[in-house]
Amino acid sequence: MKHLNLSLAAATLACMTLMAGPAQAEDKIVIGLITKTDTNPFFVKMKEGAQAEAKKLGAKLMTASGKKDGDTASQINAIENMVTAGAKTLLITSSGDAIIPAVKKAQAKGVQVIALDSPFEGADALFATNNYQAGVLIGQYAKASLGGKPAKIAMLDLFPGHPVGAQRHNGFMSGFGLKAFDAKSNELSSTPETVCAADTDGNQAKGQTAMENCLQKDAAINVVYTINEPAAAGAYNALKKAGKEKGVLIVSVDGGCAGIADVGKGVIAATSQQYPLKMASMGVAAGVDYAKGGKKASGYVDTGVTLIAGKAVAGVDSKDVKTGTDLCWGKK
C-alpha cells in the first residue's frame, strides 16, 4: 500500500506539472504586430525592433502582414486571429480605414490598439514619425538649394486620401514656402509652382512612369518631391533616360539604407530619415506596461526624424551620409 500511495503521489505531481506548463505559457504577455507588408525593409526593421524588445521583456510576439500596401482584408483577418489567440495589445501599421470596425471590436474586448507609422481613427495611441515635419525638412532643403531660381515642381505622391502621403506632401510645400494645408488635412495642396502631380503607390516602377508623364507635361521641371525613396529611384531613372538627371533636384522621405546610398551617389539630394525600429520597440514596451499595470498608452509619440543630405546648405540643419548610414534600415 505504501508503494501504491507513493506511485499515486508521483502521478499526481506529474499531472500537476503537465497542467502547470500550459498555464504558465498562457500567462505570458501576448502582443501582436500587423504591418502593411512583410517585404518592405521599413516593416522588416519594424519587426526586428518588436522581436528584440519582446525577447528583452519576456513577451510573446505574434506577427502578420498584408500581401501589399492597401490589403486591409489580410490585416482584418490578422486582428481577429490575434485577439482570439490572447493578444492584449495590437501594434498596427494600417493599410486603410476598412480595419477600423475590427479594431473597435478588439478594443471592446479590452485590447489596446496602438497605431505605428500610419494614424487611423480610434487607435488608443500613435507612435510615429512626424510626417509633416519630414516634409517640411526636405521642402526647406529644396528651396535653399535652388538659390532663388524659379521652381517647377513635380509631386510624386502615394495615393489619394492617405494621411501619411498628405502630411509629407503638404509639409514639403510648407517647408518650400508655398501655400499648403496643415497637418490635419488629407487633401493635397497645389500651387502654380507644382506643375505636375501623380500617384506612385510608393513603388519604383510607378515612380518612373509618373516622372515620365510629368516630363511630357513640363520638360522644365527642376525639383521632384517623392513620397519615398523607391519612388525617388524611379524618378531618377526617368530623368536619366531623358538626359535630365543633372539638372533636377530630387528629395524624399524614409531613410532606408538603399535610399541613403542613393543620397551618397547623388541620385537623391536629401531625405528625411525615420526610425521604424524605435516605433516598434516602444510599442512592445507599452504593451507590456498595459498588461502589467492596466494603463493604456494615449496620444501621439514622436519617434523622430532627421534630414540626411549629400551636401549641406546654409540655413538648413542636416546630417551627412555617414550618419544616415549608421542609422539606416535594410541592407547596407
Side-chain angles (χ1 to χ4, degrees), residues 240-263:
K240 189 173 182 180
K241 186 178 175 182
K244 294 179 177 293
E245 76 276 13
K246 295 186 185 300
V248 181
L249 184 85
I250 302 175
V251 292
S252 196
V253 179
D254 261 353
C257 295
I260 297 299
D262 276 347
V263 174

Side-chain angles (χ1 to χ4, degrees), residues 1 139 171 209:
M1 286 292 293
T209 299

Side-chain angles (χ1 to χ4, degrees), residues 51-85:
Q51 288 172 329
E53 192 71 9
K55 184 177 180 181
K56 173 184 168 184
L57 299 178
K60 177 183 176 181
L61 182 73
M62 300 179 69
T63 63
S65 69
K67 297 179 178 67
K68 62 179 181 177
D69 197 334
D71 178 13
T72 53
S74 292
Q75 291 195 319
I76 291 166
N77 188 52
I79 290 168
E80 294 169 348
N81 289 342
M82 288 179 180
V83 171
T84 300

Side-chain angles (χ1 to χ4, degrees), residues 113-158:
V113 178
I114 297 175
L116 300 184
D117 182 51
S118 300
F120 57 88
E121 181 187 336
D124 294 302
L126 169 65
F127 294 177
T129 306
N130 184 332
N131 283 291
Y132 199 86
Q133 179 62 17
V136 166
L137 292 175
I138 55 173
Q140 291 173 339
Y141 184 88
K143 178 72 171 178
S145 297
L146 276 189
K149 290 188 292 185
K152 287 198 170 188
I153 306 170
M155 304 293 294
L156 303 193
D157 294 306
L158 185 58

